[in-house]
Amino acid sequence: MNQYQAMVTRSVDKAIHSQMETLQRGELAPGEVLVQSHYAGVNYKDCLSLHGAARIITQFPRVAGIEVVGEVLESRSEQFRPGDMVLSHGFQRGIDVDGGFAELVQAPAEHLQALPAGLSAEQVAILGVPGFTAAMALERFEELGLQPDSGLVAISGAGGAVGRLAIHMLHRAGYRTAALTRNRSNEAALRALGASEVIDISQVIDSKRPIEKPQFAAGIDNVGGAVLSWMLRSLSEGGLLASVGNASGNSFDGSVLPFIMRRAQMFGIVANAPWPQRRRLWGKLAGDWKPDFAALQPGVRFIGLDGLLAHAAGQLEGATSGRTVVRFGAAHA
């Protein structure tokens, strides 16, 4: 393959524009391993990049896409051989270096990981960064002493990819979860994934109380802003809150009361984890924490690279739900 298709994002007169382009092999990023893309998950950060809705990309032109799953075509590294299936996420992929929204991706060997035994390429793509993020939060919770009998775990942005995967994974691990959503039409789907309760977050976040009645032993917040504030105020004694996203904003209002009255702990989750944690958590996702992919399937959508821009616009507008994955032609071969 001397030429390949890619979704290229450019900056022209300070305006961000993305379009499908045919690139030459000589335009590939540096690296010892050439990968033919099979799948690339679409994340909120990718949608921001494609439409210039936030300053994510550091240098243009750039191929966005913070994750990719594919097959090694060529390798100058002893770690990988042609035919190996690999995944890559983090390491500033799609930000400082070209990412997964291309038929070919070239990367350093230290940015790639062999697919964990027990998961297919499609299953790894369905999990992707959202599944890995949920796993990071669950592992941190358990390190801090959370157990299934500790109490209800709240999940905000429940209709999105991280939310759905977190609900299902915690349910499979024995936890009771409360799905926080503005769209009650998602209730049946969220309960099918394992949610014990579904809360209309729009009915509660306007509260002006400095602290709410204790409801949650822990929470995973995907949206930030007023939702994060309400979740923090609603934690029980010793409650834990993982901040993993900012779909509703980067800031939030709050007070010290949850911390000094209930010993609440809040921490951030960044999916660009060190290698020991990457290998450990992907091993869990292929083992004890492996989801029921049949249960996830109704919330998974596959698109072609040519449908990416329209989907990304809809995702930014809140018109989509679940997990969307770009599937390349190589995945059908």
Side-chain angles (χ1 to χ4, degrees):
M1 295 178 66
N2 294 319
Q3 296 182 329
Y4 63 100
Q5 293 290 303
M7 183 65 69
V8 181
T9 301
R10 299 182 182 274
S11 177
V12 180
D13 297 328
K14 297 184 179 180
I16 306 302
H17 175 71
S18 299
Q19 66 180 22
M20 289 273 288
E21 296 184 18
T22 300
L23 302 182
Q24 304 297 317
R25 181 165 168 164
E27 298 177 77
L28 286 164
E32 303 87 43
V33 185
L34 178 65
V35 176
Q36 185 172 29
S37 302
H38 284 211
Y39 301 96
V42 184
N43 300 279
Y44 187 72
K45 181 183 287 188
D46 300 320
C47 300
L48 293 171
S49 295
L50 289 166
H51 289 284
R55 294 183 179 180
I56 305 293
I57 293 173
T58 58
Q59 186 177 4
F60 299 92
R62 176 69 63 231
V63 175
I66 64 172
E67 58 178 280
V68 66
V69 178
E71 179 182 356
V72 173
L73 293 181
E74 299 175 8
S75 176
R76 300 191 304 276
S77 167
E78 294 183 356
Q79 289 181 255
F80 301 104
R81 297 179 179 179
D84 288 349
M85 296 300 297
V86 295
L87 70 130
S88 180
H89 61 85
F91 302 107
Q92 295 298 94
R93 184 153 307 286
I95 300 170
D96 287 344
V97 297
D98 285 344
F101 297 147
E103 292 179 319
L104 294 180
V105 174
Q106 193 158 259
E110 59 266 26
H111 292 184
L112 299 171
Q113 178 180 355
L115 259 61
L119 290 174
S120 69
E122 182 174 297
Q123 290 171 338
V124 168
I126 290 171
L127 290 170
V129 168
F132 187 78
T133 298
M136 289 185 73
L138 177 54
E139 181 178 63
R140 182 71 179 276
F141 286 157
E142 294 191 339
E143 288 173 347
L144 292 171
L146 190 72
Q147 299 176 358
D149 62 0
S150 297
L152 201 60
V153 180
I155 313 291
S156 70
V162 176
R164 289 181 182 230
L165 283 162
I167 289 166
H168 184 63
M169 287 167 55
L170 266 70
H171 168 70
R172 299 268 287 182
Y175 291 85
R176 295 173 56 248
T177 60
L180 311 185
T181 180
R182 296 177 186 271
N183 186 356
R184 290 308 292 256
S185 65
N186 284 332
E187 180 166 355
L190 296 174
R191 289 191 181 276
L193 289 170
S196 303
E197 299 181 17
V198 178
I199 298 174
D200 185 346
I201 190 65
S202 64
Q203 300 298 309
V204 297
I205 59 171
D206 290 334
S207 168
K208 303 300 181 184
R209 289 188 289 269
I211 197 162
E212 308 287 343
K213 69 175 183 178
Q215 298 187 62
F216 311 119
I220 298 176
D221 175 57
N222 291 284
V223 297
V227 175
L228 185 152
S229 299
W230 181 82
M231 291 175 69
L232 180 60
R233 300 197 306 270
S234 301
L235 290 176
S236 302
E237 173 71 18
L240 307 170
L241 182 58
S243 174
V244 307
N246 60 341
S248 289
N250 297 327
S251 62
F252 68 98
D253 295 324
S255 74
V256 299
L257 293 184
F259 302 104
I260 63 175
M261 292 180 65
R262 294 184 182 158
R263 298 185 301 111
Q265 297 184 59
M266 184 169 72
F267 53 86
I269 293 292
V270 180
N272 193 22
W275 273 114
Q277 188 177 28
R278 286 173 183 262
R279 295 189 180 98
R280 182 174 67 247
L281 289 183
W282 276 110
K284 288 186 176 183
L285 287 167
D288 292 345
W289 292 354
K290 185 175 181 177
D292 177 358
F293 285 94
L296 294 177
Q297 202 62 48
V300 178
R301 178 188 181 197
F302 293 96
I303 62 173
L305 194 60
D306 56 356
L308 176 58
L309 286 180
H311 169 81
Q315 187 165 334
L316 290 176
E317 293 169 359
T320 66
S321 63
R323 173 68 164 161
T324 299
V325 178
V326 174
R327 180 161 52 196
F328 294 87
H332 298 288

